[in-house]
Amino acid sequence: MRLRAAPGSQPGLWRALPCPQAELRLELVLRSGQAFRWRESSPGAWSGVLAGRVWTLRQERERLWYTLYGDGDGAPGADTDQILRDYFQLDVGLRELYRAWGDADPLFRQVARDCPGVRVLRQDPVECLFSFICTSNNHISRITAMIERLCQAFGRRLCCLDAQPFHAFPSLSALTGADAEARLRALGFGYRAKFVSGSARALAEGIGAEGLCGLRAAPYAEARRVLCALPGVGTKVADCVCLMALDKAEAVPVDTHIWRIARQRYGMALGGKSLTPRAHQEIGDFFRGLWGPRAGWAQAVLFCADLRKGQEPAGSRDQAWESRGRDSCRDKPR
């Protein structure tokens, strides 16, 4: 990879973490719709922004290699190892979880054979929240493009790799300006513009970024309640943030895709032809009873396996993600 760095930035050295592929399959996790800012910059190499730095990741059978670019304090070391371990939650033993889920659920055991190493990311709560606000009634290519435009317009430029610029995710203060909503509409956010700017203002005037991060220590129901009070945040978006940023491993994001899986594959008798708040709760409770306290992690594996089956023909991935981006509750235009 050729680096064209911003002034003052330097490419770092490559460093490796022990990481068997049974514990992490990089190409599956970074394509699983949890985060939208990782690019496959060359075959097997993924570049993205994490903790205010630009990273490139590669994986061998037993190692996860990484290097960093942009402004920073020296070469990769123990601190950057810990950032990566925290992001991928590598202290959670995945093989043991797969075994337990498979023992409890023959369907999980069947589909997980072809989908090893899928784990839940531990993301920055602000980035995760605003990213998932953008998923409402949307598909993966548009979500990725929208978030990229958001970062370019409101975030700090970090560096440029192979003529592709990388920006930090915007701060709350950057999204609370008087013209923020108008600028977002000009960027193609449509009705989501008022949700992004409105949630940024609500957080800035309320618990702030620190308080949002502090919800990691709150009970799941409390964190979900606080999130659902924000503009454009319904139960699906709240559960995504709870699971992928706020340490609520029991949170099971339910959209029309998971609703269909619950009905068609698990035989749940759910009334009606659409996802209702009651059905959302019933499905989450069912999977928590089946898979246990990390039910959200197991759901991520099942969804990833289903997504992989639908990747051909071309275009089916976006259709699958479009279903994942829908919510029947408060994520609709209003």
Side-chain angles (χ1 to χ4, degrees), residues 44-62:
W46 295 83
S47 296
V49 179
L50 175 61
R53 303 281 299 278
V54 178
W55 304 60
T56 295
L57 311 178
R58 285 185 177 274
Q59 189 171 26
E60 293 179 348
R61 182 175 294 274
E62 299 293 329

Side-chain angles (χ1 to χ4, degrees), residues 84-158:
L84 212 55
R85 291 189 64 84
D86 182 74
Y87 184 67
F88 287 108
Q89 305 199 70
L90 294 180
D91 292 336
V92 177
L94 199 59
R95 281 177 287 197
E96 293 79 5
L97 289 173
Y98 267 60
R99 189 177 302 114
W101 295 327
D103 289 344
D105 178 6
L107 178 57
F108 178 92
R109 184 167 61 248
Q110 177 185 348
V111 300
R113 291 191 192 112
D114 296 325
C115 210
V118 175
R119 55 176 55 247
V120 171
L121 300 174
R122 190 175 194 246
Q123 301 179 58
D124 173 76
V126 170
E127 178 169 350
C128 188
L129 170 64
F130 289 101
S131 295
F132 276 96
I133 287 175
C134 294
T135 67
S136 173
N137 295 305
N138 216 343
H139 58 74
I140 187 66
S141 58
R142 288 197 67 227
I143 296 165
T144 300
M146 286 171 66
I147 294 172
E148 184 61 27
R149 293 195 298 272
L150 177 75
C151 294
Q152 289 181 3
F154 293 91
R156 178 172 58 93
R157 184 183 173 98
L158 298 173

Side-chain angles (χ1 to χ4, degrees), residues 90 105 108 162 185 196 203 211 231 233 253 256 267 279 311 326 330:
L90 294 180
D105 178 6
F108 178 92
D162 291 338
R185 287 188 181 277
V196 171
L203 283 174
V233 178
T256 54
Q311 284 180 346
R326 295 179 183 139
R330 294 178 51 220

Side-chain angles (χ1 to χ4, degrees), residues 131-286:
S131 295
F132 276 96
I133 287 175
C134 294
T135 67
S136 173
N137 295 305
N138 216 343
H139 58 74
I140 187 66
S141 58
R142 288 197 67 227
I143 296 165
T144 300
M146 286 171 66
I147 294 172
E148 184 61 27
R149 293 195 298 272
L150 177 75
C151 294
Q152 289 181 3
F154 293 91
R156 178 172 58 93
R157 184 183 173 98
L158 298 173
C159 70
C160 196
L161 299 179
D162 291 338
Q164 294 291 322
F166 286 79
H167 293 75
F169 198 84
S171 64
L172 279 182
S173 59
L175 296 173
T176 55
D179 63 342
E181 182 178 340
R183 291 175 65 191
L184 288 166
R185 287 188 181 277
L187 291 171
F189 276 63
Y191 67 86
R192 301 172 196 87
K194 69 177 180 181
F195 292 157
V196 171
S197 61
S199 286
R201 285 194 304 273
L203 283 174
E205 295 168 2
I207 62 174
E210 254 184 59
L212 183 62
C213 193
L215 292 176
R216 287 174 169 170
Y220 166 44
E222 172 66 11
R224 192 198 218 193
R225 183 191 65 78
V226 172
L227 290 169
C228 283
L230 297 171
V233 178
T235 48
K236 185 268 296 184
V237 169
D239 275 340
C240 287
V241 179
C242 281
L243 175 64
M244 302 170 200
L246 298 181
D247 299 340
K248 312 302 180 229
E250 70 271 39
V252 178
V254 178
D255 51 24
T256 54
H257 189 69
I258 298 303
W259 176 70
R260 285 195 299 269
I261 289 175
R263 293 184 65 180
Q264 296 172 7
R265 301 188 185 182
Y266 287 88
M268 289 191 68
L270 300 167
K273 296 183 179 180
S274 62
L275 177 59
T276 64
R278 179 178 176 180
H280 189 124
Q281 188 65 43
E282 288 177 357
I283 293 168
D285 289 344
F286 171 79

